[in-house]
Each structure stands twice: as structure tokens, then as C-alpha cells.
Amino acid sequence: MSNPKPGTLQPDSFKPWPALWSLVIGFFMILVDSTIVNIATPAIMADLGAGLDQVIWVISAYLLAYAVPLLITGRLGDRFGPRRVYLIGLVVFTLSSLWCGFANNVEALILARVFQGFGAA
């Protein structure tokens, strides 16, 4: 039996389960975040004194910031490694979620949601 080349994946060394669980947790965080914002719309309007158009921007800003750079972040993952890009995105998403929680006006919330969308992408 010949020796494999260094750096090639071996069937015994390839473990897909940690990567799958990482993706499942990440997508779960994104889905929970979207659900929370949709349910909390009346509370956002009341607590921050926001109008309906501003609350729509809270939701839309996140979706735009998530969808537009999605292909670019995929390419960044190809260039710099998917794990590194995923972890950076997770940190950005988590920190901007904290920022969303501490936002004291709707403009700060919208800006935090933009960064949250970039982290999710």
C-alpha cells in the first residue's frame, strides 16, 4: 500500500459532524433572531417610540445587509478559510446582537441590525 501525499484528507481524519453542528447552531441563531424581532415589533414601537416605517427598516436593514454580501463572504471563505470567516461572522453577529440589546433609539437599532446582517452573511 502506498503512502498518501501530505495534506490530503484521509477518510479516518475527516470528521463532518463538528462542521455540521457549527452550521446548525449558526442558522439557528439567525432564525431565532429574525423570529424575536418579528414578535417584538410592537414592543420596539412602544419602547423606542418608533413608527411603523422605522420598524420596517429594522427588519429590512438586516435582510439587505445579509443578502447582498452573501456571495462575497462565500468567496472570502474560499480565500481565507471557511472556519476563519465563519468565526469572524459569529463574533460580529454576537457583538451586534449585544448592541441591539443596548440600543436606546431606533436609529442605533437599525445600524446594529445592519452589522448583524453582515455578521450573518
Side-chain angles (χ1 to χ4, degrees), residues 33-49:
D33 175 69
S34 298
T35 303
I36 288 171
V37 171
N38 289 331
I39 291 173
T41 298
I44 292 170
M45 291 175 72
D47 291 347
L48 299 179

Side-chain angles (χ1 to χ4, degrees), residues 1-70:
M1 189 156 110
S2 65
N3 290 334
K5 293 180 184 178
T8 59
L9 289 177
Q10 299 300 313
D12 295 337
S13 67
F14 184 68
K15 297 178 183 169
W17 291 109
L20 178 65
W21 282 112
S22 299
L23 290 174
V24 166
I25 290 169
F27 284 124
F28 178 74
M29 287 174 58
I30 291 170
L31 290 173
V32 166
D33 175 69
S34 298
T35 303
I36 288 171
V37 171
N38 289 331
I39 291 173
T41 298
I44 292 170
M45 291 175 72
D47 291 347
L48 299 179
L52 185 59
D53 56 338
Q54 292 171 319
V55 172
I56 289 173
W57 269 109
V58 169
I59 297 167
S60 299
Y62 171 81
L63 291 174
L64 284 170
Y66 173 66
V68 170
L70 200 55

Side-chain angles (χ1 to χ4, degrees), residues 86-98:
Y86 180 82
L87 290 176
I88 290 169
L90 187 62
V91 168
V92 170
F93 184 86
T94 304
L95 291 176
S96 58
S97 295
L98 185 65

